[in-house]
Amino acid sequence: MVKKEKDVFLINTNDLSYVFHIDKTGLVIHDYFGKKIDLVDFDIKPLSLKHDFAKGTSVIYDEKIDNQLSMDHVLLEFSFPHKGDFRSTPVLLKNEKFGYVFDFKYRDFEIREAKPLEGLPTPHDANEELVVFLEDKVAQVVVELHYLVFEEANVIARNIVIVNNGELPLTVLKALSYQLDLVNKEFELTTLSGGWVSEMNQQIQDIKEGKYSIESKTGFSSARFNPFFMIKEKRANLDSGDVYSFNLIYSGNHLAEIELTHYGLLRVEAGINPFCFEYLLNKEERFETPYAVLTYSNKGINGARLNMHHFTNNHVIPSQWNGTLRPVVINNWEATAFKFKENKLVSLAKDAKKFGAELFVLDDGWFGQRNNDFAGLGDYNVNKKKLPHGLEGLSKKIHKNGMKFGLWFEPEGINPDSDCYRAHPDWAIKCVEREPSLSRHELLMDLTKIEVQDYIIGNVSSILEKANIDYVKWDMNRNVSDITFGNYLPGEFYHRYILGLYRILDTLVKKFPQVLFEGCASGGNRFDLGVLSYFPQIWTSDDTDGHERLTIQSGTYLGYPLSTVSAHVSCSPSQSMLRKTPIDTRFNLAMFGDFGYELFFSELPKLDKRRCLANIAVYKKYREIFQFGDFYELDSHSDNFKKWQVLSKDRKTSLVGHFNVLQKSNAPECHLDTKGLLDNQKYDVEVVKQEIDIREFGSLINALTPFHVNPNGWLVRLLAKFKTIPGDDYKCQVYGSVLNNSGLVIHPEWSGNGLNDKVRVMRDFGSRLYIINAHEEN
Ligand code: DGJ
C-alpha cells in the first residue's frame, strides 16, 4: 500500500514500512526503512534526521530557503553531485551547456497499476507502483523514481528513469537503479563472490568509514560477485535482528556501492556498472534502469531470505513454473562429455529411468563438428555420425522409454571454426582491425545486432518445433572481451548486448511456454534475477563435489529459492575436486533443489545403486517441499557442520539435513532442531537409514573377524560385496514445541569406538536426512 499525505510518502507491505518526504527546498528526503510503523497524522518530525545547524565546511544547498541544510548531512531519496553531496551518487549526466551540474527538485507523483519496462524484465503481479517525478527545469531533464510494491513478499522493487526533454543531447555516464540512505547501526556486509567451480562464497565484513563495492565487468552478472548482497546489524543472527537484502533484476555488468561517512550515514546504491558506460539521450528519449529488489526483515537472515525466496517464486520466474514440480534429470555431460552415440545415450536414459530419472538431457556435442570445444558453436546441423536418426529419432526413443527429452544449446557462443563464422565473421564480437581474444576457443555472437538475434531465435525455434523437446539447457561459456560498436556509442555496447539477449529469451519463452528452460553459464557465472525472469532454474555450478556444493548452495540460498537451484549427483571422486564423498551426502545436498544425475549408473558400486534407489524415493515423495517449501538454515554453532531445513506450507512436514565437513573426535552432542513446526502438533521423526561399506572401517574390520584380514585384500573386497554395516536408526514421536525450542538430542557420533545401531558414523563429509511428519492417529 502506498499513501501520500501532506508531503509524506508511506509505503507499507505486510511487515515493513518505507517513508520519505519532500523538503521545502524540493529535495526528496529519506526518513525510514524498517519494521512496519504507524505515523501520527503523517507527522514526519519524530522520524526525520535533524539538521538544526550546518556542520563546518558544509555546502548549503539553497541558503535562501534553508540556511542549515547541506545535502551531505541528510538522508536523501535521490542525490546528485556538484550541489554539496560528496558521497557516491546514483546518476551522473553531462551535456554541452551544463557540463556535469544538474539539480533535481520534486515535481509530482503518480500511484498507478505497475507498468513493465521496455526490453528489461519487470517483476510481475506488483500490488501497485509509485512514481515520483523530479525535474531539473533549467536543463529540462526529468528523473523518475519508481517503486513497485509487493506486500506479501515484503519487497520493494526500485528503478530510476532518466528522460531528456531538453534540446541538447544528454550523455548518461552513470545510471544506477536506486540509492538508499540509512543511519549507521554497526552494520556488516555479506557478499557472494567466486569463480568457476567455486561460486557463491559468502564474504562477511564490518562496514567501517569508507567505501565498499562489488561489481562485474565481465559483461555478465558473473560468479566474481553475484549482484545479491546483504547488510545486517552486527548483532543480527539467523533468526533475529535487522537484515536488509538487495538484488538486481539484470544479467550484465553491475556495481553496488556501500559507503559509510564520517557522519554515520550509510549510502547503498546499485545498478548497471558505469564501467565503459555512456548512453546518449536525444530529445524526448528515456533511459530505463533495471529493477533492483530491496527487502528488510527483523527476523534475521532467515527472515530476509524467506522474503527473497517468496518474491522470486511469486514475482520473478514465469508464473507457469511457480509451484510446478521440476523433473528428475539425467544429463549426459559428466558421463560422456563429447564422446557419445545414439545407442549409448539411449542405454544411459534407460538405466537412469530405473533410478527415477524422468527427463533425459543431451548436453554439448550434438551438432556441427562439435567433437571437442574447438569447433562447431554457431552451427545447428545435427552430427549424423553420432545421431544417425537425428534429434527427432533420439527424442522419439527417449519419449518411447517414458521420459522427457531435453537439449543443450550455447546460442551466444561461436567458434571461429564453424560454418556460421565462415559465413558471417562480422556476427562475432570483435574490435575492428584487431585479432579478438578467445576463451574456451570461442567468441561471443554480437547480440546487439538484430540479424544475430533473429538467427538464434530462428534456429532454436525450428529445433524445438521439430524434435519434440521438453527442456532446454541454455549455456554460455565465456566473458566479454574486444567490445565493438555499431551505429551507437561504444559505451552502449554492454547494455545493448543484454537487451538483445533479453529479446531472444523473451521471444523464445513466450513461443514455447511449455518448455522448461534452465540457465547455465559454465555453472553459476550468470545466476541472477534477470535470467530467472525467463528461465525458472539455473545450473548452479560445474562443481558437483559432495562437499563444495555445501558452500555453493548455502551461498545461493541467501538470495535465491531452492526451486531455482539445479543440483546433480555425479560420481566420486568428483571430477572437479577428485574428492571422495559418500553417495548419501551427494544425494542429500542435491535434494535441496531441482534434482538430477550426471553419471553412468553401470559404473556405480552396488551399494551406491541401492542408496540411489532408496534416496530417490524419498526425494520424489517430498519433492514439492524440497523445491518450494520454506528454507531455513539452522544454527549449528560450528563452521564444521551445517544444518538445512525445508518446511511444507501447512507446516506438517519438514526435512532436515545435517552435513559434516570434517569429522571431529569426541564430537559435541548434536540436536535435531527445527523452525516453524506447529507447536501443539505431535510429529513422527525418523532418519533416512544409510548403509556403510565395510571397507570404510579400514583395519578396524579386524575387530569383527576371528582372524586377521588384510583390509585391502581380496577377502575384504569379496565380503564387501555381500555385507555392509547398517547405518544408525532413529525414530521417535515428539511435539513440535520440542523440536522448535530445545530440539531433540540425537545419538552420539562415532568416535573411534562403540559401534552399534544408534551411533552415528558420520565420517568426513557425512550427512543425515531426517524426515518429520505430523503424526496421524489411526
Ligand atoms: C558448461 C556447463 O556448465 C556444463 O554443464 C556443460 O554443459 C558444458 N558447458 C558443456 O560444454
Side-chain angles (χ1 to χ4, degrees):
M1 179 227 56
V2 184
K3 271 197 180 166
K4 153 100 174 25
E5 271 189 40
K6 301 178 186 163
D7 278 329
V8 178
F9 289 89
L10 168 69
I11 301 174
N12 274 341
T13 69
N14 284 2
D15 301 326
L16 66 80
S17 295
Y18 189 103
V19 187
F20 56 92
H21 75 273
I22 314 304
D23 183 66
K24 55 189 180 218
T25 55
L27 291 173
V28 187
I29 305 276
H30 179 83
D31 297 298
Y32 179 79
F33 181 27
K35 192 169 160 42
K36 198 165 181 176
I37 50 166
D38 285 322
L39 297 174
V40 177
D41 292 334
F42 274 75
D43 180 6
I44 206 69
K45 275 187 242 86
L47 269 186
S48 202
L49 214 62
K50 311 294 176 282
H51 51 275
D52 298 331
F53 72 95
K55 298 187 163 89
T57 71
S58 302
V59 172
I60 305 301
Y61 175 63
D62 187 341
E63 222 179 36
K64 285 193 205 115
I65 299 177
D66 185 339
N67 59 9
Q68 305 297 343
L69 187 144
S70 162
M71 286 177 79
D72 219 15
H73 301 130
V74 286
L75 303 179
L76 289 161
E77 197 57 19
F78 178 76
S79 187
F80 37 88
H82 308 293
K83 295 299 285 176
D85 187 349
F86 298 99
R87 293 168 281 182
S88 288
T89 48
V91 168
L92 185 63
L93 305 173
K94 188 176 90 175
N95 78 7
E96 227 174 55
K97 186 161 175 199
F98 302 102
Y100 301 100
V101 183
F102 291 80
D103 185 1
F104 291 98
K105 289 181 196 297
Y106 174 75
R107 191 186 76 190
D108 54 5
F109 78 99
E110 203 182 321
I111 296 172
R112 64 187 195 194
E113 229 177 73
K115 287 187 192 161
L117 298 177
E118 233 174 74
L120 282 169
T122 308
H124 48 85
D125 299 308
N127 297 90
E128 56 197 330
E129 176 176 5
L130 164 67
V131 191
V132 176
F133 298 89
L134 314 179
E135 189 169 19
D136 181 329
K137 283 205 169 118
V138 181
Q140 293 180 286
V141 177
V142 171
V143 162
E144 301 172 4
L145 308 180
H146 291 247
Y147 303 79
L148 297 181
V149 184
F150 299 88
E151 292 183 16
E152 277 180 25
N154 293 305
V155 157
I156 300 174
R158 294 187 52 187
N159 87 329
I160 289 176
V161 176
I162 299 154
V163 188
N164 182 18
N165 290 328
E167 294 297 331
L168 292 176
L170 182 73
T171 309
V172 183
L173 295 167
K174 181 180 183 188
L176 301 186
S177 296
Y178 69 97
Q179 100 179 40
L180 173 71
D181 283 0
L182 298 169
V183 175
N184 186 29
K185 278 193 188 174
E186 272 213 24
F187 285 122
E188 237 175 38
L189 170 67
T190 303
T191 58
L192 299 173
S193 65
W196 182 60
V197 295
S198 173
E199 296 88 344
M200 305 281 195
N201 295 281
Q202 297 181 46
Q203 307 294 338
I204 304 172
Q205 53 191 315
D206 290 347
I207 302 181
K208 304 273 187 204
E209 276 175 39
K211 195 161 143 187
Y212 306 77
S213 65
I214 56 166
E215 68 170 354
S216 166
K217 297 191 284 193
T218 66
F220 303 110
S221 50
S222 92
R224 288 167 170 251
F225 279 108
N226 191 271
F228 171 89
F229 62 97
M230 184 175 85
I231 291 176
K232 70 172 197 66
E233 283 180 295
K234 209 169 161 59
R235 67 185 176 90
N237 56 31
L238 280 168
D239 300 302
S240 70
D242 286 353
V243 178
Y244 298 88
S245 287
F246 304 84
N247 210 337
L248 199 62
I249 308 186
Y250 192 60
S251 312
N253 287 342
H254 63 90
L255 170 74
E257 297 183 302
I258 296 103
E259 184 175 357
L260 178 62
T261 67
H262 179 67
Y263 299 98
L265 302 185
L266 182 76
R267 174 160 297 168
V268 184
E269 51 182 36
I272 296 176
N273 196 332
F275 167 74
C276 292
F277 176 85
E278 193 179 359
Y279 226 89
L280 192 70
L281 293 185
N282 289 312
K283 190 171 181 201
E284 261 143 44
E285 285 181 343
R286 49 195 277 129
F287 184 79
E288 297 184 326
T289 62
Y291 270 107
V293 179
L294 288 75
T295 190
Y296 159 86
S297 175
N298 70 327
K299 297 199 182 84
I301 296 170
N302 279 325
R305 177 187 354 243
L306 279 177
N307 290 348
M308 282 298 191
H309 285 195
H310 292 160
F311 174 73
T312 306
N313 276 330
N314 293 320
H315 303 288
V316 176
I317 64 168
S319 354
Q320 75 267 29
W321 297 109
N322 183 15
T324 304
L325 295 188
R326 309 298 162 75
V328 172
V329 165
I330 167 71
N331 176 305
N332 71 312
W333 179 247
E334 283 201 35
T336 69
F338 295 103
K339 289 192 204 112
F340 58 81
K341 291 236 160 112
E342 187 191 88
N343 52 3
K344 200 168 187 181
L345 299 177
V346 173
S347 93
L348 174 60
K350 282 190 174 156
D351 275 358
K353 192 172 178 221
K354 294 184 202 136
F355 291 90
E358 299 153 335
L359 166 72
F360 174 82
V361 180
L362 172 55
D363 211 281
D364 197 352
W366 55 265
F367 52 89
Q369 294 308 307
R370 190 81 177 156
N371 297 318
N372 49 47
D373 51 18
F374 285 83
L377 275 186
D379 299 338
Y380 290 83
N381 54 319
V382 174
N383 183 328
K384 288 281 178 131
K385 277 197 193 138
K386 293 182 183 178
L387 303 174
H389 307 102
L391 288 169
E392 292 88 333
L394 177 63
S395 172
K396 229 185 228 160
K397 287 188 179 152
I398 300 293
H399 282 108
K400 209 167 153 210
N401 187 39
M403 296 173 89
K404 293 186 168 184
F405 179 57
L407 192 62
W408 177 97
F409 290 91
E410 190 183 335
E412 293 161 76
I414 177 164
N415 287 118
D417 184 2
S418 66
D419 294 341
C420 179
Y421 187 84
R422 282 181 280 274
H424 304 283
D426 57 318
W427 282 8
I429 297 175
K430 52 185 178 164
C431 190
V432 278
E433 295 177 25
R434 285 178 210 281
E435 265 306 301
S437 301
L438 298 175
S439 172
R440 208 190 179 200
H441 325 293
E442 66 184 79
L443 298 169
L444 281 169
M445 297 283 260
D446 186 351
L447 299 197
T448 67
K449 293 193 164 99
I450 189 100
E451 61 272 29
V452 175
Q453 297 168 21
D454 289 343
Y455 172 80
I456 293 173
I457 293 170
N459 278 300
V460 175
S461 296
S462 87
I463 288 171
L464 296 192
E465 271 151 12
K466 276 192 246 147
N468 194 8
I469 286 167
D470 307 287
Y471 158 109
V472 166
K473 177 173 172 187
W474 185 288
D475 202 353
M476 192 285 298
N477 283 303
R478 65 157 294 174
N479 295 327
V480 181
S481 70
D482 299 277
I483 62 165
T484 173
F485 55 101
N487 51 357
Y488 51 82
L489 290 180
E492 299 182 6
F493 172 82
Y494 283 113
H495 184 57
R496 283 179 183 272
Y497 181 100
I498 296 298
L499 293 179
L501 172 67
Y502 287 154
R503 177 175 168 257
I504 298 171
L505 305 191
D506 192 51
T507 311
L508 288 171
V509 300
K510 284 192 177 135
K511 209 165 161 190
F512 302 98
Q514 76 291 357
V515 174
L516 172 61
F517 283 83
E518 174 164 311
C520 173
S522 308
N525 199 28
R526 201 167 59 186
F527 203 120
D528 62 61
L529 296 178
V531 168
L532 287 172
S533 301
Y534 305 97
F535 302 164
Q537 57 188 62
I538 296 179
W539 178 230
T540 319
S541 177
D542 277 354
D543 197 336
T544 49
D545 175 87
H547 167 57
E548 295 300 297
R549 275 284 179 143
L550 187 57
T551 310
I552 295 169
Q553 289 176 212
S554 288
T556 309
Y557 300 150
L558 261 193
Y560 303 92
L562 279 62
S563 69
T564 66
V565 174
S566 177
H568 295 176
V569 165
S570 64
C571 55
S572 173
S574 65
Q575 294 186 355
S576 45
M577 306 302 297
L578 301 181
R579 182 190 279 130
K580 290 186 184 162
T581 54
I583 182 78
D584 287 291
T585 295
R586 281 174 274 146
F587 239 101
N588 290 342
L589 287 165
M591 287 206 237
F592 283 78
D594 303 326
F595 180 91
Y597 296 106
E598 221 159 302
L599 42 72
F600 269 124
F601 294 90
S602 52
E603 291 169 4
L604 279 181
K606 251 193 183 163
L607 170 58
D608 286 13
K609 286 186 190 160
R610 274 206 302 280
R611 298 307 308 143
C612 285
L613 289 172
N615 283 319
I616 198 67
V618 174
Y619 181 71
K620 285 195 172 173
K621 184 160 178 202
Y622 298 106
R623 167 172 16 191
E624 186 176 355
I625 308 171
F626 279 121
Q627 295 178 353
F628 293 99
D630 285 349
F631 174 86
Y632 301 90
E633 181 163 345
L634 306 171
D635 207 342
S636 65
H637 310 286
S638 160
D639 290 340
N640 202 34
F641 183 56
K642 267 198 186 301
K643 295 176 178 180
W644 292 347
Q645 182 196 350
V646 280
L647 177 65
S648 64
K649 297 286 172 212
D650 64 5
R651 299 157 74 189
K652 291 195 164 171
T653 306
S654 188
L655 298 116
V656 177
H658 283 185
F659 299 95
N660 242 10
V661 180
L662 294 182
Q663 171 157 22
K664 285 275 198 206
S665 43
N666 301 325
E669 293 300 333
C670 184
H671 285 79
L672 171 63
D673 51 341
T674 56
K675 300 272 164 237
L677 295 188
L678 300 164
D679 277 341
N680 299 322
Q681 171 72 53
K682 212 190 272 175
Y683 288 91
D684 296 315
V685 179
E686 61 176 316
V687 68
V688 176
K689 275 189 74 176
Q690 303 184 1
E691 285 175 76
I692 309 166
D693 190 309
I694 55 169
R695 287 167 293 185
E696 295 291 329
F697 286 83
S699 59
L700 266 186
I701 190 74
N702 282 296
L704 300 175
T705 50
F707 51 88
H708 187 90
V709 293
N710 173 356
N712 301 313
W714 66 270
L715 184 57
V716 171
R717 279 205 302 278
L718 183 70
L719 204 59
K721 287 194 178 161
F722 308 102
K723 179 93 193 114
T724 54
I725 308 278
D728 48 292
D729 199 3
Y730 186 78
K731 273 199 180 98
C732 77
Q733 259 179 29
V734 69
Y735 278 104
S737 54
V738 173
L739 283 156
N740 287 338
N741 295 307
S742 80
L744 307 179
V745 181
I746 49 180
H747 293 286
E749 200 175 323
W750 152 265
S751 190
N753 68 343
L755 182 66
N756 64 46
D757 67 343
K758 296 284 177 264
V759 170
R760 288 175 302 125
V761 180
M762 289 288 272
R763 298 170 289 156
D764 292 351
F765 317 118
S767 67
R768 288 294 181 277
L769 184 71
Y770 295 91
I771 303 175
I772 302 167
N773 267 311
H775 179 73
E776 280 177 14
E777 304 290 347
N778 295 325

Coordinates of all heavy atoms in Angstrom, one line a residue, residues 679-724:
D679 N 3.5 -26.0 17.1 CA 4.0 -26.3 18.5 C 3.1 -27.5 19.1 O 3.7 -28.3 19.8 CB 3.8 -25.1 19.4 CG 5.1 -24.2 19.3 OD1 6.1 -24.7 18.8 OD2 5.0 -23.0 19.6
N680 N 1.8 -27.4 18.9 CA 0.9 -28.4 19.6 C 0.7 -29.7 18.8 O -0.2 -30.5 19.1 CB -0.4 -27.8 19.9 CG -0.2 -26.6 20.8 OD1 0.7 -26.6 21.7 ND2 -0.9 -25.5 20.6
Q681 N 1.4 -29.8 17.7 CA 1.2 -31.0 16.8 C 2.2 -32.1 17.2 O 3.4 -31.8 17.4 CB 1.4 -30.5 15.4 CG 1.5 -31.6 14.4 CD 0.1 -32.3 14.1 OE1 -0.8 -31.6 13.8 NE2 0.1 -33.6 14.3
K682 N 1.7 -33.3 17.3 CA 2.7 -34.4 17.5 C 3.3 -34.8 16.2 O 2.6 -34.9 15.2 CB 1.9 -35.6 18.1 CG 2.7 -36.5 19.0 CD 2.0 -37.7 19.3 CE 1.0 -37.6 20.5 NZ 0.2 -38.9 20.6
Y683 N 4.6 -35.0 16.1 CA 5.3 -35.4 14.9 C 6.0 -36.7 15.0 O 6.5 -37.1 16.1 CB 6.3 -34.3 14.5 CG 5.7 -33.0 14.1 CD1 5.5 -32.0 15.0 CD2 5.5 -32.8 12.7 CE1 4.9 -30.8 14.5 CE2 4.9 -31.6 12.3 CZ 4.7 -30.6 13.2 OH 4.1 -29.4 12.7
D684 N 6.0 -37.5 13.9 CA 6.9 -38.7 13.8 C 8.2 -38.3 13.2 O 8.2 -37.6 12.2 CB 6.2 -39.7 12.9 CG 4.9 -40.2 13.5 OD1 4.9 -40.5 14.7 OD2 4.0 -40.3 12.7
V685 N 9.3 -38.7 13.9 CA 10.6 -38.3 13.4 C 11.3 -39.5 13.0 O 11.3 -40.5 13.8 CB 11.4 -37.5 14.5 CG1 12.8 -37.2 14.0 CG2 10.6 -36.3 15.0
E686 N 12.0 -39.6 11.9 CA 12.8 -40.7 11.5 C 14.0 -40.2 10.7 O 13.9 -39.2 10.0 CB 12.1 -41.8 10.8 CG 11.5 -41.4 9.5 CD 10.8 -42.5 8.7 OE1 11.4 -43.6 8.7 OE2 9.8 -42.2 8.2
V687 N 15.1 -41.0 10.8 CA 16.3 -40.7 10.0 C 16.2 -41.6 8.7 O 15.7 -42.7 8.8 CB 17.6 -41.0 10.8 CG1 17.8 -42.5 11.1 CG2 18.8 -40.4 10.1
V688 N 16.7 -41.1 7.6 CA 16.8 -41.9 6.4 C 18.0 -42.8 6.7 O 19.1 -42.3 6.8 CB 17.0 -41.1 5.2 CG1 17.2 -42.0 3.9 CG2 15.8 -40.2 4.9
K689 N 17.7 -44.1 6.8 CA 18.8 -45.0 7.2 C 19.8 -45.2 6.1 O 19.5 -45.2 4.9 CB 18.2 -46.4 7.5 CG 17.7 -46.5 8.9 CD 17.4 -47.9 9.3 CE 18.6 -48.8 9.5 NZ 18.3 -50.1 9.9
Q690 N 21.1 -45.3 6.4 CA 22.1 -45.4 5.4 C 22.8 -46.8 5.6 O 22.5 -47.5 6.6 CB 23.2 -44.3 5.6 CG 22.6 -43.0 5.4 CD 23.6 -41.8 5.5 OE1 24.8 -42.0 5.6 NE2 23.1 -40.6 5.4
E691 N 23.7 -47.2 4.7 CA 24.5 -48.4 4.9 C 25.9 -48.0 4.6 O 26.2 -47.2 3.8 CB 24.1 -49.4 3.8 CG 22.9 -50.1 3.9 CD 22.7 -51.0 2.6 OE1 23.3 -52.0 2.5 OE2 21.9 -50.6 1.7
I692 N 26.8 -48.6 5.3 CA 28.2 -48.3 5.1 C 29.0 -49.5 4.6 O 28.9 -50.6 5.1 CB 28.8 -47.8 6.5 CG1 27.9 -46.7 7.1 CG2 30.2 -47.2 6.2 CD1 28.3 -46.4 8.5
D693 N 29.8 -49.2 3.6 CA 30.7 -50.2 3.1 C 31.7 -50.6 4.2 O 32.3 -49.7 4.8 CB 31.5 -49.6 1.9 CG 32.2 -50.6 1.1 OD1 33.0 -51.4 1.7 OD2 32.1 -50.6 -0.2
I694 N 31.9 -51.9 4.3 CA 32.8 -52.3 5.4 C 34.2 -51.8 5.2 O 34.9 -51.7 6.2 CB 32.8 -53.9 5.6 CG1 33.1 -54.6 4.3 CG2 31.5 -54.4 6.2 CD1 33.4 -56.0 4.5
R695 N 34.6 -51.6 4.0 CA 36.0 -51.1 3.7 C 36.2 -49.7 4.3 O 37.3 -49.3 4.5 CB 36.3 -51.1 2.2 CG 36.4 -52.5 1.8 CD 36.4 -52.6 0.3 NE 35.1 -52.3 -0.3 CZ 34.8 -52.4 -1.6 NH1 35.7 -52.8 -2.4 NH2 33.6 -52.1 -2.0
E696 N 35.1 -49.0 4.6 CA 35.3 -47.7 5.2 C 35.9 -47.8 6.6 O 36.4 -46.8 7.2 CB 33.9 -47.0 5.3 CG 33.3 -46.6 4.0 CD 34.0 -45.5 3.2 OE1 34.6 -44.7 3.9 OE2 34.1 -45.6 2.0
F697 N 35.8 -49.0 7.2 CA 36.3 -49.2 8.5 C 37.8 -49.6 8.5 O 38.4 -49.8 9.6 CB 35.5 -50.2 9.3 CG 34.2 -49.6 9.7 CD1 33.1 -49.6 8.8 CD2 34.0 -49.0 11.0 CE1 31.9 -49.0 9.2 CE2 32.8 -48.4 11.3 CZ 31.7 -48.4 10.4
G698 N 38.4 -49.7 7.4 CA 39.8 -50.0 7.3 C 40.2 -51.2 8.1 O 39.5 -52.2 8.1
S699 N 41.4 -51.0 8.8 CA 41.9 -52.2 9.6 C 41.0 -52.5 10.8 O 41.2 -53.6 11.4 CB 43.3 -51.9 10.0 OG 43.3 -50.7 10.8
L700 N 40.1 -51.6 11.1 CA 39.2 -51.9 12.2 C 38.3 -53.1 11.9 O 37.6 -53.7 12.8 CB 38.3 -50.7 12.6 CG 38.7 -49.8 13.6 CD1 37.7 -48.7 13.9 CD2 39.1 -50.5 14.9
I701 N 38.2 -53.5 10.7 CA 37.4 -54.7 10.3 C 37.9 -55.9 11.1 O 37.1 -56.8 11.4 CB 37.6 -54.9 8.7 CG1 36.6 -56.0 8.2 CG2 39.0 -55.3 8.4 CD1 35.2 -55.5 8.2
N702 N 39.1 -55.8 11.5 CA 39.7 -57.0 12.3 C 39.0 -57.1 13.6 O 39.1 -58.2 14.2 CB 41.2 -56.8 12.4 CG 41.9 -57.2 11.1 OD1 41.8 -58.4 10.8 ND2 42.5 -56.3 10.5
A703 N 38.3 -56.1 14.1 CA 37.6 -56.2 15.4 C 36.4 -57.1 15.2 O 35.9 -57.6 16.2 CB 37.2 -54.8 15.8
L704 N 36.0 -57.3 14.0 CA 34.8 -58.2 13.8 C 35.2 -59.6 13.3 O 34.3 -60.5 13.3 CB 33.9 -57.5 12.7 CG 33.3 -56.2 13.0 CD1 32.6 -55.6 11.9 CD2 32.4 -56.2 14.3
T705 N 36.4 -59.8 12.8 CA 36.8 -61.1 12.2 C 37.5 -62.0 13.2 O 38.2 -61.4 14.1 CB 37.7 -60.9 11.0 OG1 38.7 -60.0 11.4 CG2 36.9 -60.2 9.9
P706 N 37.3 -63.3 13.1 CA 38.0 -64.2 14.1 C 39.5 -64.3 13.8 O 40.3 -64.7 14.7 CB 37.4 -65.5 13.8 CG 36.7 -65.4 12.5 CD 36.5 -64.0 12.2
F707 N 40.0 -63.9 12.6 CA 41.4 -63.9 12.3 C 41.8 -62.6 11.6 O 40.9 -61.9 11.1 CB 41.8 -65.2 11.5 CG 40.9 -65.3 10.3 CD1 41.2 -64.7 9.1 CD2 39.7 -66.1 10.4 CE1 40.3 -64.8 8.0 CE2 38.9 -66.2 9.3 CZ 39.2 -65.5 8.1
H708 N 43.0 -62.3 11.5 CA 43.4 -61.1 10.9 C 43.2 -61.1 9.4 O 43.6 -62.1 8.7 CB 44.9 -60.8 11.2 CG 45.3 -59.4 10.8 ND1 45.2 -58.3 11.6 CD2 45.8 -59.0 9.5 CE1 45.6 -57.2 10.9 NE2 45.9 -57.6 9.6
V709 N 42.6 -60.0 8.9 CA 42.5 -59.9 7.4 C 43.1 -58.6 6.9 O 43.2 -57.7 7.7 CB 41.0 -60.0 7.0 CG1 40.4 -61.3 7.2 CG2 40.2 -58.9 7.6
N710 N 43.6 -58.7 5.7 CA 44.1 -57.5 5.1 C 43.0 -56.6 4.6 O 42.2 -57.0 3.8 CB 45.0 -57.9 3.9 CG 45.5 -56.7 3.1 OD1 45.1 -55.6 3.4 ND2 46.3 -57.0 2.1
P711 N 42.8 -55.4 5.2 CA 41.7 -54.6 4.8 C 41.6 -54.2 3.3 O 40.6 -53.9 2.8 CB 41.8 -53.3 5.7 CG 43.2 -53.3 6.2 CD 43.7 -54.7 6.2
N712 N 42.8 -54.3 2.7 CA 42.8 -54.0 1.2 C 42.9 -55.3 0.4 O 43.0 -55.3 -0.8 CB 44.0 -53.2 0.9 CG 43.9 -51.8 1.6 OD1 42.9 -51.2 1.6 ND2 45.0 -51.5 2.3
G713 N 42.7 -56.4 1.0 CA 42.9 -57.7 0.3 C 41.6 -58.2 -0.3 O 40.5 -57.7 -0.1
W714 N 41.8 -59.4 -1.0 CA 40.7 -60.0 -1.7 C 39.5 -60.4 -0.9 O 38.3 -60.2 -1.2 CB 41.1 -61.1 -2.6 CG 41.6 -62.3 -1.8 CD1 42.8 -62.6 -1.3 CD2 40.7 -63.4 -1.3 NE1 42.9 -63.7 -0.5 CE2 41.6 -64.2 -0.5 CE3 39.4 -63.7 -1.4 CZ2 41.1 -65.4 0.1 CZ3 38.9 -64.9 -0.8 CH2 39.8 -65.7 0.0
L715 N 39.8 -60.9 0.3 CA 38.7 -61.4 1.2 C 37.8 -60.2 1.6 O 36.5 -60.4 1.5 CB 39.3 -62.0 2.5 CG 38.3 -62.7 3.4 CD1 37.5 -63.8 2.7 CD2 39.1 -63.3 4.6
V716 N 38.4 -59.1 2.0 CA 37.5 -58.0 2.4 C 36.7 -57.4 1.2 O 35.6 -57.1 1.3 CB 38.4 -56.9 3.1 CG1 37.5 -55.6 3.3 CG2 38.9 -57.4 4.4
R717 N 37.4 -57.4 0.0 CA 36.7 -57.0 -1.2 C 35.5 -57.9 -1.5 O 34.4 -57.4 -1.8 CB 37.7 -57.0 -2.4 CG 38.6 -55.7 -2.4 CD 39.0 -55.4 -3.8 NE 39.8 -56.5 -4.4 CZ 41.1 -56.8 -4.3 NH1 41.8 -56.0 -3.5 NH2 41.6 -57.8 -4.8
L718 N 35.7 -59.2 -1.3 CA 34.7 -60.1 -1.6 C 33.5 -59.9 -0.5 O 32.4 -59.9 -0.9 CB 35.2 -61.5 -1.5 CG 34.3 -62.7 -1.8 CD1 33.9 -62.6 -3.3 CD2 34.8 -64.0 -1.4
L719 N 34.0 -59.8 0.7 CA 33.0 -59.7 1.8 C 32.1 -58.4 1.6 O 30.9 -58.4 1.8 CB 33.7 -59.5 3.1 CG 33.0 -59.9 4.4 CD1 32.5 -61.3 4.3 CD2 33.9 -59.7 5.6
A720 N 32.8 -57.4 1.1 CA 32.1 -56.1 0.9 C 31.0 -56.2 -0.1 O 30.0 -55.4 -0.1 CB 33.1 -55.0 0.5
K721 N 31.1 -57.2 -1.0 CA 30.0 -57.4 -2.0 C 28.7 -57.8 -1.3 O 27.6 -57.6 -1.8 CB 30.4 -58.4 -3.0 CG 31.5 -57.9 -4.0 CD 31.6 -58.8 -5.2 CE 32.6 -58.2 -6.1 NZ 33.2 -59.1 -7.0
F722 N 28.8 -58.5 -0.2 CA 27.6 -59.1 0.4 C 27.2 -58.5 1.7 O 26.1 -58.6 2.2 CB 27.8 -60.6 0.6 CG 28.3 -61.3 -0.6 CD1 29.6 -61.7 -0.8 CD2 27.4 -61.6 -1.6 CE1 30.0 -62.3 -2.0 CE2 27.8 -62.2 -2.8 CZ 29.1 -62.5 -3.0
K723 N 28.2 -57.8 2.3 CA 27.9 -57.3 3.7 C 28.2 -55.9 3.8 O 29.3 -55.3 3.4 CB 28.9 -58.2 4.6 CG 28.8 -57.8 6.1 CD 27.8 -58.8 6.8 CE 27.5 -58.2 8.2 NZ 26.1 -57.8 8.4
T724 N 27.3 -55.1 4.4 CA 27.5 -53.7 4.8 C 27.2 -53.5 6.2 O 26.6 -54.4 6.9 CB 26.6 -52.8 4.0 OG1 25.2 -53.2 4.2 CG2 26.9 -52.8 2.5

